[in-house]
Amino acid sequence: MERFTYYLLYGLVYTLSLLPFWLLYLLSDGLYLLVYHAVRYRRKIVWKNLSSSFPQKSPAELKKIEREFYHWFCDYIFETFKLLSISDKTLLQHIEFRGVEELEKCFDNGQDCAAILGHYCNWEWLSATGLAFHRHTEAVMGLIYHPLRNDPMDWLFIDIRSSHGGVCIKKKHILRYLVEYRQENRRSLFGYISDQTPKWDNIHLWLPFLNHDTPVFTGGERIMRKVDDAVFYVDMSRPSRGNYVCHFRLLSAHASQEAENDITRRFFQMLEESICRQPAFYLWTHNRWKRKREDMTTKENDKA
């Protein structure tokens, strides 16, 4: 039954992906009306996140960002579907990769790279980064992911993320693969989405982020430091509908030489700058600040 559901999903999404962008965006506009006005999908969470992140903005300004976010969120869904059938050439007409030459310089020196990013703009399109390599076309462009609970959806997203050369590796296996690629003398660039909300047992650091005291993951940084990656922040922007710019900005030339948590601290500072520049393109539907430091202290006291 799961396989049948997967094939059904794949067929539906692939068929949608064949539609031209203008028609996909027309469907997206219709989905926006349904999601925002009828279903009101996570409207309370989005408003709470926006109003607490930008207390200096007026209700009118926040409402404008909210509507723009839902428009983009619906676009994101159809843009992601489009990856299944769009050609490499056409995709590169819709996303511009900058700073790739700096990545390849690291490859020239025998050093692997890590890209650290948040849920900002269309992060799914970053699976096509390998298409922008000029001298290291054999380099592995990898994506670290946490499997979805629904197997058919998980298989579908693996197909989507690998459709333009991306290699999907479960996060619990990433260190083993990094070692194997290095032993094979294959250079690699792996992307770490590092702005999720950690579980209580995985909270080791709190940072100021978007006007909140925020618990953050540090596991990605620990891996980068262990293998001495060159670390790049993925600075994305959306100059117009259907077009993105991805700029790889060097965050650390040698992760192993950084003090503990410095990479994570700088990442969140840079991500906040990106969000403040174009706030509508962040994933505001996630209940990111559901964990409070005082609740953690209470849990620790209860254990003691």
Side-chain angles (χ1 to χ4, degrees), residues 9 18 23 47 66 79 81 85 90 121 123 149 172 193 195 211 219 225 238-239 257 301:
L9 276 172
L18 295 172
L23 186 50
W47 183 259
E66 181 188 59
E79 289 170 353
F81 290 169
S85 66
T90 302
C121 286
W123 59 91
R149 293 179 180 178
K172 65 180 180 180
I193 297 183
D195 63 335
N211 199 47
R225 294 174 64 206
R238 195 188 199 221
Q257 299 176 11
N301 291 336

Side-chain angles (χ1 to χ4, degrees), residues 99-127:
V100 176
E101 64 279 359
E102 297 302 317
L103 293 168
E104 293 198 290
K105 286 180 182 178
C106 295
F107 293 159
D108 290 340
N109 296 326
Q111 186 181 24
D112 297 319
C113 299
I116 189 166
L117 62 144
H119 289 88
Y120 185 71
C121 286
N122 196 327
W123 59 91
E124 302 291 355
W125 280 21
L126 294 174
S127 61

